Amino acid sequence: MARHHGQDSRGPSQRQLRVGETVRKELSDILTRGEFSDPDLEGVIVTIPEVRMTPDLRLATCLVMPLGGKNADKVEKALNRSAKFLRGQVSRRLTMKYMPDLRFVLDTRFDDDDRIDTLLHSPDVAKDLGKDEDE
């Protein structure tokens, strides 16, 4: 039986996770050591909590967030503008057949969690939950 090579309900493979973590570590190191300078990123500390790899390992989607969340859009644009340079820096540090293209996206997971938490504690939801408990 043929194997399915797309993304499925099982999530990313061990290989995707391992390569993503390696790319994340190297990108963090490059940004931390100051080997990369951009006027829009001057004095900004950028965290990279996760790098998600495509199944063919050709594209790395890097979730980024500036410390404090200020000027997040500006930081995202600056990183995407410098993606080719950063790709070259990472490729010098890693031994891979193909170095993935880098795409930077804002990490909104914490904002989403706060929004959902606020919704769950709203009076309308509490009222609905109270009706379900009585039944």
Side-chain angles (χ1 to χ4, degrees):
M1 180 173 222
R3 295 178 75 181
H4 179 67
H5 291 289
Q7 192 75 352
D8 58 16
S9 62
R10 292 180 291 174
S13 68
Q14 281 297 114
R15 185 173 183 210
Q16 286 173 270
L17 294 172
R18 186 178 66 245
V19 171
E21 182 59 23
T22 304
V23 170
R24 186 201 66 77
K25 180 189 169 299
E26 295 303 331
L27 274 173
S28 295
D29 193 43
I30 290 166
L31 293 174
T32 302
R33 291 179 184 249
E35 296 175 15
F36 165 71
S37 63
D38 185 292
D40 289 338
L41 298 175
E42 197 67 37
V44 177
I45 298 173
V46 179
T47 58
I48 305 174
E50 184 180 357
V51 173
R52 296 177 181 165
M53 302 298 297
T54 56
D56 63 357
L57 303 179
R58 295 286 183 132
L59 178 65
T61 302
C62 309
L63 302 180
V64 296
M65 181 56 69
L67 195 62
K70 295 182 181 179
N71 299 325
D73 292 332
K74 187 176 174 182
V75 169
E76 178 189 12
K77 287 177 185 174
L79 288 169
N80 278 314
R81 194 173 49 242
S82 304
K84 286 188 178 188
F85 173 78
L86 290 169
R87 179 180 185 239
Q89 292 295 311
V90 172
S91 69
R92 287 186 183 97
R93 296 167 168 239
L94 299 178
T95 305
M96 294 177 62
K97 187 172 184 178
Y98 299 104
M99 186 60 208
D101 289 328
L102 302 176
R103 180 187 323 158
F104 295 93
V105 178
L106 288 177
D107 183 12
T108 59
R109 293 180 293 182
F110 296 114
D111 296 336
D112 295 341
D113 291 347
D114 287 342
R115 184 178 55 80
I116 290 170
D117 193 45
T118 302
L119 285 172
L120 289 174
H121 288 93
S122 71
D124 294 335
V125 173
K127 181 178 69 174
D128 289 343
L129 291 175
K131 287 181 181 180
D132 288 340
E133 291 173 1
D134 292 340
E135 292 178 0

